[in-house]
Amino acid sequence: MKHFKPTTRMSDIIHTNYLLLPVINRFGVRLGFGDKTVEEVCREKKLNAGFFLAILNAYHDPDYFPEKELQGFSTHLIIDYLKKTHDYYREYVIPKVESDLENLMGDCQGNCRNLRLIRSFYDKYKVELLNHLNEEDTRVFPYMTDLQRVYDKEIPMADKVRNFSIRNFEEEHTDIDNKLFDLKNIIIKYLEPQYVDNMCNAFLYAIFQLEQDLIDHARIEDKILVPKIMLIEKAVKS
Amino acid sequence: MKRKIIIMLDSDILSRGLSSIIGNLPETEIICVAPPEELEQYAGITRSVIALVIRPEQLARYTSFVHRLGQTNTVQVITFGLPGADRTKGQSITLDMDGESIRQLILKVLNVDKNEIEPPPSMQLSERETEVLRLVARGYANKEIAARLFISVHTVISHRKNITEKLGIKSISGLTVYAILNKLIDTSGQNPETLI
Ligand SMILES: [Fe+2]
Ligand SMILES: [Fe+2]
């Protein structure tokens, strides 16, 4: 697969893969870029072009994951991107999935009992996902930011930084991914289709897309951010 | 399982030549990594059978990365060298080989796992597995299930693994939905949604 370069035109990137639209938006990059290249847009928006490209390429090609390069970017930069992604899930993706599910239920034909089961399953999943995002935004990320600042000697060491460890932050990602996969698979394989097909398709598209986005997101957390923070913990706390 | 061929050669002529000889294989992707591009950038590959074509003298540099890839993939190393180069160790492609033999070698290497990657023949749950699934769906823990069915916890765990593989459902609440949809548990007199 071809990877995007600093000299690639922004418009070509979107023509190649329109699923990158929300990703560029997270960086504050919006459409209407004429013939501008990645470099030019990043210079204008004061973005780190290396980081921008690494994120786009990794999203575009799941095999491409330059771990060392990504770990080299600043903690603040990475967290900022991840937080924007959380906002995107909360403000757009989850409401969208939900309204698709509402439409699906609203047009249910015949016995709607089974669709209601799907909804209960989704509701439980949603609570779990929101809790997870919330935990990261309110506890994990602030800790990481503080730790980095202690390391950079911007703030003194404090108890709340000393007593927290990234190891406490258990791996919940697998469980979250699994549930979403189950939801898809139950509908695809086991649910009797008593619904309007297009409504169900819309719901599934939304789930597929959320799943892909979450997998990309979680691997940045697990493989880039967490190892990076562990190294800093080692340096600061021992 | 997906199949990937990673060609890591320092010459564009060689990597392009080799990929055109290999040509199109079903569900197989060819990735050419040309220095200074680093092999490590492909740390994202998972659940694949990978054939890595590399010069033998480069191999030492990437041992730890190949090992890492091997944790989530099946990696087969194919060395690339001059005719008469050391063929004693493992598989190798040499400059004097004809296209067909190269293709055959790649095919052989990529099919290594054929038996493992094919799904188990029966996707039907056995009677015992159905029994276990019913109890899982009703919220029983492994220990309780073991006690009720007079089997060991170890056996329960292995039944659960098979159930998940056969149905493609990993979470407990997902299994519960499945059990209710298929009327494996009696939900009369209660709202089934409360069980999930
Ligand atoms: Fe997150
Ligand atoms: Fe997360």
Side-chain angles (χ1 to χ4, degrees):
Chain A
M1 203 178 283
K2 277 255 177 274
H3 297 139
F4 310 121
K5 293 187 289 221
T7 50
T8 310
R9 282 190 190 145
M10 283 305 302
S11 55
D12 289 340
I13 294 182
I14 300 305
H15 281 301
T16 308
N17 185 351
Y18 62 86
L19 294 175
L20 289 170
L21 280 167
V23 183
I24 67 164
N25 291 158
R26 280 169 215 164
F27 285 90
V29 175
R30 304 178 67 193
L31 296 179
F33 17 61
D35 283 327
K36 280 181 207 141
T37 62
V38 170
E39 250 166 357
E40 287 165 339
V41 166
C42 287
R43 202 176 311 126
E44 238 169 60
K45 299 263 174 195
K46 299 198 172 47
L47 294 172
N48 181 326
F51 183 65
F52 182 68
L53 269 177
I55 294 286
L56 288 190
N57 281 323
Y59 195 99
H60 174 58
D61 174 6
D63 288 346
Y64 178 84
F65 199 53
E67 287 185 347
K68 284 213 188 92
E69 188 192 341
L70 280 163
Q71 281 170 10
F73 295 110
S74 89
T75 305
H76 306 308
L77 198 60
I78 301 171
I79 289 181
D80 189 52
Y81 171 73
L82 293 171
K83 279 175 110 167
K84 293 233 171 73
T85 315
H86 287 183
D87 292 342
Y88 169 71
Y89 297 151
R90 264 189 298 249
E91 286 159 24
Y92 179 72
V93 182
I94 295 173
K96 166 85 168 72
V97 167
E98 247 164 60
S99 83
D100 287 340
L101 184 55
E102 278 313 311
N103 292 340
L104 175 62
M105 309 251 335
D107 275 326
C108 138
Q109 300 158 337
N111 181 3
C112 305
R113 217 177 126 228
N114 292 344
L115 274 178
R116 282 202 297 274
L117 285 177
I118 299 290
R119 201 201 7 224
S120 308
F121 184 81
Y122 170 78
D123 285 344
K124 264 195 87 175
Y125 167 76
K126 181 180 114 180
V127 170
E128 221 170 282
L129 175 61
L130 287 176
N131 283 343
H132 176 79
L133 301 181
N134 210 25
E135 167 80 8
E136 288 178 346
D137 283 336
T138 58
R139 280 166 45 89
V140 183
F141 291 164
Y143 161 72
M144 290 173 164
T145 309
D146 283 351
L147 182 79
Q148 178 70 56
R149 295 184 67 200
V150 170
Y151 180 79
D152 294 338
K153 302 207 160 49
E154 288 172 16
I155 53 169
M157 181 58 121
D159 278 349
K160 65 169 184 176
V161 176
R162 195 176 294 116
N163 297 335
F164 195 96
S165 163
I166 196 62
R167 286 179 202 282
N168 299 344
F169 171 47
E170 272 304 306
E171 267 219 29
E172 291 179 295
H173 292 140
T174 339
D175 194 48
I176 291 182
D177 293 345
N178 284 349
K179 287 228 167 82
L180 206 50
F181 178 84
D182 287 355
L183 178 59
K184 273 181 5 190
N185 212 25
I186 289 172
I187 298 175
I188 296 171
K189 287 172 74 175
Y190 305 116
L191 185 69
E192 212 186 306
Q194 296 179 324
Y195 45 68
V196 177
D197 290 341
N198 286 324
M199 301 281 177
C200 187
N201 295 348
F203 178 62
L204 278 179
Y205 291 154
I207 298 284
F208 269 107
Q209 215 170 312
L210 172 61
E211 188 189 32
Q212 190 197 333
D213 207 297
L214 279 173
I215 288 173
D216 180 76
H217 180 86
R219 73 174 180 165
I220 296 175
E221 293 177 339
D222 293 340
K223 301 260 171 67
I224 307 298
L225 194 54
V226 171
K228 192 175 161 76
I229 294 300
M230 279 181 169
L231 282 180
I232 302 179
E233 274 184 348
K234 236 190 198 165
V236 169
K237 293 186 186 176
S238 59
Chain B
M1 279 259 192
K2 294 164 286 184
R3 284 182 257 179
K4 316 255 180 202
I5 302 164
I6 303 180
I7 302 177
M8 163 101 188
L9 296 173
D10 41 18
S11 145
D12 224 15
I13 298 180
L14 289 180
S15 29
R16 284 193 205 200
L18 190 54
S19 32
S20 86
I21 285 174
I22 297 168
N24 280 331
L25 299 177
E27 286 173 66
T28 305
E29 193 194 350
I30 302 181
I31 300 169
C32 292
V33 186
E37 210 197 346
E38 285 293 343
L39 189 58
E40 279 96 342
Q41 295 183 328
Y42 290 88
I45 304 180
T46 54
R47 285 178 302 227
S48 302
V49 184
I50 304 170
L52 172 65
V53 181
I54 189 169
R55 287 200 188 268
E57 58 270 25
Q58 293 242 295
L59 204 50
R61 235 185 99 196
Y62 295 106
T63 332
S64 71
F65 182 70
V66 169
H67 179 76
R68 266 215 43 203
L69 266 189
Q71 292 169 350
T72 47
N73 302 281
T74 306
V75 185
Q76 295 283 327
V77 174
I78 302 175
T79 53
F80 183 94
L82 295 167
D86 183 12
R87 292 195 195 199
T88 48
K89 283 177 284 176
Q91 304 119 153
S92 59
I93 294 176
T94 51
L95 275 173
D96 58 342
M97 275 166 83
D98 62 80
E100 194 44 37
S101 338
I102 293 177
R103 236 177 106 89
Q104 286 309 320
L105 172 70
I106 295 278
L107 276 176
K108 197 185 96 208
V109 164
L110 286 177
N111 279 330
V112 173
D113 262 16
K114 205 165 182 195
N115 296 323
E116 285 170 45
I117 58 183
E118 260 163 28
S122 161
M123 300 304 264
Q124 278 292 54
L125 294 188
S126 71
E127 227 163 276
R128 224 359 164 352
E129 285 160 356
T130 311
E131 206 58 48
V132 172
L133 173 59
R134 281 199 180 104
L135 294 169
V136 171
R138 286 165 59 194
Y140 289 98
N142 288 346
K143 242 176 150 176
E144 298 167 299
I145 298 175
R148 283 183 155 242
L149 300 180
F150 306 105
I151 53 180
S152 71
V153 172
H154 182 80
T155 313
V156 175
I157 293 172
S158 107
H159 281 313
R160 287 186 65 159
K161 210 176 141 252
N162 291 336
I163 295 170
T164 288
E165 252 164 47
K166 287 184 179 177
L167 300 180
I169 302 177
K170 295 169 186 162
S171 63
I172 295 180
S173 40
L175 291 170
T176 309
V177 173
Y178 176 88
I180 302 173
L181 286 177
N182 290 281
K183 304 192 170 57
L184 296 178
I185 49 179
D186 180 23
T187 56
S188 57
Q190 60 179 324
N191 180 356
E193 289 157 51
T194 56
L195 290 170
I196 297 162

